[in-house]
Amino acid sequence: MMNDNKNINGTDISQQIKNDVKLDVEKLISQGITPKLTVVIVGENPASLTYVASKERQAKEIGMNSNVIRLPEESSQKELLGIIEELNNDSTVHGILVQLPVPKQINEEVVINAISPDKDVDGLHPVNLGKLVLGEARLVSCTPAGVIEMLDREKIAIEGKNVVIIGRSNIVGKPLFHLFLKRNATVTVCHSKTKDLIGISKTADILVAAIGRTKMITKEYIKLGAVVIDVGINRVDGKLYGDVDYEDVLPFVSRITPVPRGVGPMTIAMLLKNTITAAKTQHNIK
Ligand code: NDP
């Protein structure tokens, strides 16, 4: 029971978001606009195929148009860029997502740069990252946006808090830094070269682990009463684990996201929300 009280339930929160997005979809449809998300996947990476199928299914569940363009593993960069150009020019498509990683003959950066910033529902285009730094972003990387949304929906205050983020990837750590800063937190970003990681982590009112190392964060890292957000998804022998040793830290935290059913489900919910934002932007709707 105690655990349930401390858990931040990402499955429930993502469902609330999807319910809200569904209402937005209905509103747009009543104005003659059916929001559409197109996902492009190159190759047969099993985890990617699962994610992509789930994105398409969940988009359809809330009434959006959604399709997946599947390209063979050996596709060239030119072919992929050609498809992106068609999607950029297709006014019925509002959101474009190229599932990462792409095969090695394709340069990820070139592909991201080719997506129209208005349709970049992954929030990875340099224009959208630049707007994020300026505090003006409308399309923000889905996982970091999901972390902030979770805290807001759980009424966990951010302003004035000491936030420590462990991990500085372009997909999670860096965008999250800017989102927390915009919300007036005092933010520290740590990485593999950080000295005294435990000492810094122990100053955190909100500690975010986005590392990719199974159960690395133990009770030594936790300030009593901290909120812990575990972004990590690590697959070990077919089971999912976070970057946080949940059982070890539980007695010391006030709130925590479990793995699974924590941050994970938020990512697709935010992708759907971004698709609505993209559709509204493209049709000049506030
Ligand atoms: P990356 O591998 O891109 O980045 C990992 C970061 O952790 C790097 O900044 C790295 O430092 C840092 N790091 C690695 N080891 C240590 C260490 N021992 N001490 C301190 N810092 C360390 O990973 P991602 O950001 O893409 O993903 C992180 C985790 O989040 C993964 O488990 C991933 O599966 C998960 N994830 C979950 C998502 C979700 O939907 N919930 C979405 C995206 C990711 P340095 O920069 O110095 O190398």
Side-chain angles (χ1 to χ4, degrees), residues 34-245:
T34 306
K36 181 173 178 182
L37 170 68
T38 296
V39 180
V40 185
I41 179 166
V42 187
E44 303 278 323
N45 178 318
S48 293
L49 286 169
T50 309
Y51 285 138
V52 162
S54 188
K55 286 168 184 172
E56 184 183 28
R57 179 178 49 78
Q58 294 191 41
K60 284 188 170 151
E61 272 168 15
I62 59 158
M64 278 185 193
N65 269 346
S66 178
N67 68 328
V68 178
I69 298 176
R70 293 182 174 79
L71 301 178
E73 178 81 31
E74 62 280 4
S75 304
S76 68
Q77 180 168 299
K78 200 166 163 225
E79 282 171 82
L80 179 57
L81 292 179
I83 286 178
I84 292 172
E85 198 184 336
E86 275 174 34
L87 296 172
N88 283 342
N89 293 329
D90 182 343
S91 62
T92 67
V93 173
H94 303 100
I96 304 170
L97 184 150
V98 176
Q99 184 68 38
L100 302 176
V102 283
K104 56 183 180 316
Q105 73 276 15
I106 299 174
N107 182 320
E108 190 173 297
E109 207 183 316
V110 171
V111 169
I112 291 170
N113 285 351
I115 298 172
S116 160
D118 283 348
K119 298 189 178 187
D120 165 40
V121 282
D122 238 353
L124 297 177
H125 191 284
V127 165
N128 288 323
L129 290 174
K131 286 184 180 170
L132 181 66
V133 175
L134 296 171
E136 296 167 2
R138 281 172 64 83
L139 296 175
V140 176
S141 185
C142 302
T143 304
V147 169
I148 301 291
E149 184 87 22
M150 276 183 123
L151 293 170
D152 284 347
R153 293 206 180 223
E154 291 291 292
K155 305 212 169 5
I156 295 168
I158 296 174
E159 184 163 311
K161 294 291 168 66
N162 285 340
V163 175
V164 175
I165 302 166
I166 312 179
R168 56 173 164 181
S169 70
N170 291 338
I171 292 182
V172 188
K174 280 184 203 165
L176 207 39
F177 167 78
H178 292 287
L179 293 175
F180 274 119
L181 193 61
K182 181 159 195 229
R183 297 292 298 274
N184 299 320
T186 304
V187 198
T188 308
V189 181
C190 301
H191 45 79
S192 67
K193 305 291 187 290
T194 297
K195 301 237 190 304
D196 191 20
L197 186 62
I198 289 182
I200 296 170
S201 300
K202 267 198 112 94
T203 67
D205 302 312
I206 301 173
L207 179 65
V208 181
I211 315 163
R213 291 186 187 261
T214 309
K215 292 189 177 187
M216 185 180 122
I217 303 304
T218 50
K219 59 178 181 285
E220 291 75 23
Y221 290 76
I222 308 293
K223 172 177 164 180
L224 189 62
V227 174
V228 174
I229 305 292
D230 188 354
V231 179
I233 299 180
N234 308 293
R235 214 173 282 269
V236 183
D237 297 332
K239 263 193 86 180
L240 293 185
Y241 295 92
D243 290 338
V244 176
D245 187 337

